[in-house]
């Protein structure tokens, strides 16, 4: 259990580090949110994995990096999980096109909710070209998926489902 | 237990739901407490200082090094010219410093006469930039000085060319500075030529400023300099803020729209100066015996305005 937690924590931490590297070139709010994709994939590949215990500490690092109050990223990720986790059984039987459409819809919805909640809670409007984040997120998808698949096979001891 | 069995068990128990719900609740409470109070600051400051800051520094240091190398290589050609220019400027500044004491004393006397003694001198603290966050709406920088070095919230920050912004968040050894180009920033200023007061504000575009509360008939022209007025108490009086680069006179609107260019090099600065206004006025010695010898020997400069008035 501890090894699975460590692996997952390391996985999320690396995703955060990659986001921080991207944030060196563009602002944090325009970075693709790799962690949310990692979270959904980690759960879909292995629903028994201790994703929250590994993700919540990393989400605090995201709060610091994004200059937002502590807990903001955690709320976003928990909301994303509440929407996507119940869809696991559909995910396993969905076609590739349906999966792609689902991911595009999910990424768009996530960014919209993120921007709206930033405005409601902090009064900060969405940055210019905020919608490009969705495109970056989709481009990053294969890499996160590969990393998650690798992690799942090597460390989480779960069978792949996607 | 096989994978499918584990999954069905998890689904039956709604384990995922309760975990998500508890996470949402926990993070929601954390967010609510952080937004509305500062109760968790003693917890978040050490986290930032001892966990986030070192990690971010290690992860981004190769990038910073690379950016600096690229910057050095691209500017190597102009380095010699730059040094010559700086040396000349340094000579000019040294000459100006010689008479600075005289002007300071004169300024003090005049302020006393006008019964409006303001702060004429603030001690400064030099800080280096650690990180930049320019989103357009939110524009801030992180500097390497914090509460341990005496930095406090709402402390005014300048660079050698003009006003930079104010400190909005203080950590033990780092601070976050909101730039004047942040859309939430407001700087009370006056036009140097006409003394008309106004409020400079940031825009959603990076490193640009505007002033929107002047009426259409106001006397403002391109090239006018805007100086901090000292109103509000955050920014001390007399620091250059911006220059008018465009005046939009729309006859159908009630107010002028001014486009401004900040004097501070917000995009290029690497160090900033923090003004410490907590100590109040620093008593400046007044009298000819305190003047620099070079100034004392030279005859006093004639006051052109007085002469013109006399004529």
């Amino acid at each position: 259990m501890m090894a699975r937690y460590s692996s997952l924590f390391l996985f999320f931490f690396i995703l955060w580090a990659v986001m921080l590297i991207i944030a060196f070139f563009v602002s944090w709010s325009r970075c693709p949110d790799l962690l949310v994709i990692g979270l959904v994939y980690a759960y879909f590949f292995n629903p028994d994995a201790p994703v929250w215990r590994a993700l919540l500490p990393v989400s605090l690092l995201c709060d610091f990096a994004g200059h937002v109050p502590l807990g903001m990223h955690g709320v976003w990720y928990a909301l994303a999980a509440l929407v996507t986790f119940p869809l696991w059984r559909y995910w396993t039987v969905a076609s590739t096109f349906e999966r792609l459409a689902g991911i595009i819809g999910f990424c768009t919805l996530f960014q919209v909710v993120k921007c709206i909640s930033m405005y409601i809670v902090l009064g900060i409007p969405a940055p210019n070209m905020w919608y490009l984040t969705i495109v970056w997120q989709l481009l990053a998808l294969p890499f996160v998926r590969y990393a998650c698949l690798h992690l799942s096979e090597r460390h989480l001891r779960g069978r792949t489902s996607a | 237990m096989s994978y499918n069995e584990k999954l069905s068990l998890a689904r039956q128990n709604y384990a995922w739901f309760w975990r998500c719900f508890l996470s949402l609740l926990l993070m929601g409470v954390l967010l609510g407490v952080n937004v509305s109070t500062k109760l968790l600051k003693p917890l978040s400051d050490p986290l930032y200082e001892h966990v986030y800051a070192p990690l971010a520094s290690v992860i981004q240091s190769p990038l910073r090094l690379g950016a600096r190398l690229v910057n050095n290589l691209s500017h190597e050609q102009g380095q010699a010219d730059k040094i010559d220019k700086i040396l000349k400027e340094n000579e000019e500044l040294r000459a100006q410093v010689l008479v600075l004491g005289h002007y300071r004393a004169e300024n003090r006397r005049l302020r006393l006469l006008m019964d409006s003694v303001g702060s004429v001198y603030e001690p400064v603290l030099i800080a280096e930039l650690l990180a930049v966050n320019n989103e357009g709406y939110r524009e801030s920088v992180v500097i390497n000085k914090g509460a341990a070095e005496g930095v406090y919230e709402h402390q005014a920050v300048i660079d050698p060319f003009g006003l930079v912004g104010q400190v909005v968040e203080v950590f033990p050894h780092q601070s976050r500075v909101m730039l004047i180009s942040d859309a939430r920033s407001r700087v009370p200023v006056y036009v140097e030529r006409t003394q008309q007061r106004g409020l400079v504000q940031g825009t959603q575009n990076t490193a640009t400023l505007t002033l929107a509360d002047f009426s259409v008939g106001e006397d403002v022209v391109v090239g006018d300099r805007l100086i901090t007025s000292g109103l509000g108490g955050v920014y001390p009086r007399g620091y250059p803020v911006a220059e008018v680069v465009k005046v939009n006179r729309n006859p159908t609107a009630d107010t002028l729209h001014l486009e401004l260019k900040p004097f501070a090099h917000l995009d290029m600065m690497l160090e900033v100066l923090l003004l410490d206004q907590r100590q109040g006025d620093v008593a400046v010695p007044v009298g000819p015996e305190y003047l620099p010898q070079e100034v004392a020997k030279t005859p006093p400069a004639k006051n052109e305005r007085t002469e013109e008035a006399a004529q």
Side-chain angles (χ1 to χ4, degrees), chain B residues 124-261:
Chain B
V124 295
L125 181 69
I126 299 173
E128 287 180 19
L129 262 63
L130 290 178
V132 179
N133 179 38
N134 284 347
E135 292 175 5
Y137 185 83
R138 285 193 302 173
E139 295 196 13
S140 62
V141 293
V142 178
I143 55 174
N144 68 343
K145 295 284 189 292
E149 287 82 16
V151 180
Y152 57 93
E153 273 192 25
H154 306 303
Q155 186 168 6
V157 181
I158 61 169
D159 78 349
F161 307 99
L163 189 72
V164 168
Q166 63 168 301
V167 175
V168 289
E169 201 169 358
V170 184
F171 301 104
H173 295 288
Q174 291 184 4
S175 306
R176 184 168 298 132
V177 177
M178 180 171 76
L179 303 182
I180 53 172
S181 53
D182 188 300
R184 297 166 296 178
S185 161
R186 301 289 183 273
V187 184
V189 295
Y190 67 90
V191 181
E192 194 178 40
R193 188 171 56 84
T194 63
Q195 312 292 313
Q196 175 65 34
R197 291 195 308 271
L199 268 182
V200 166
Q201 58 191 67
T203 67
Q204 294 236 20
N205 299 321
T206 308
T208 53
L209 302 171
T210 184
L211 197 151
D213 58 351
F214 275 8
S215 60
V216 175
E218 215 64 65
D219 177 19
V220 185
V221 293
V222 172
D224 270 348
R225 285 159 52 92
L226 302 176
I227 311 292
T228 50
S229 65
L231 299 179
V234 174
Y235 302 109
R237 186 181 298 177
Y239 287 94
V241 178
E243 185 182 14
V244 178
V245 290
K246 194 174 178 184
V247 182
N248 293 328
R249 289 182 193 275
N250 184 357
T252 58
D254 292 337
T255 54
L256 274 179
H257 181 76
L258 303 181
E259 285 181 29
L260 312 172
K261 183 185 170 196

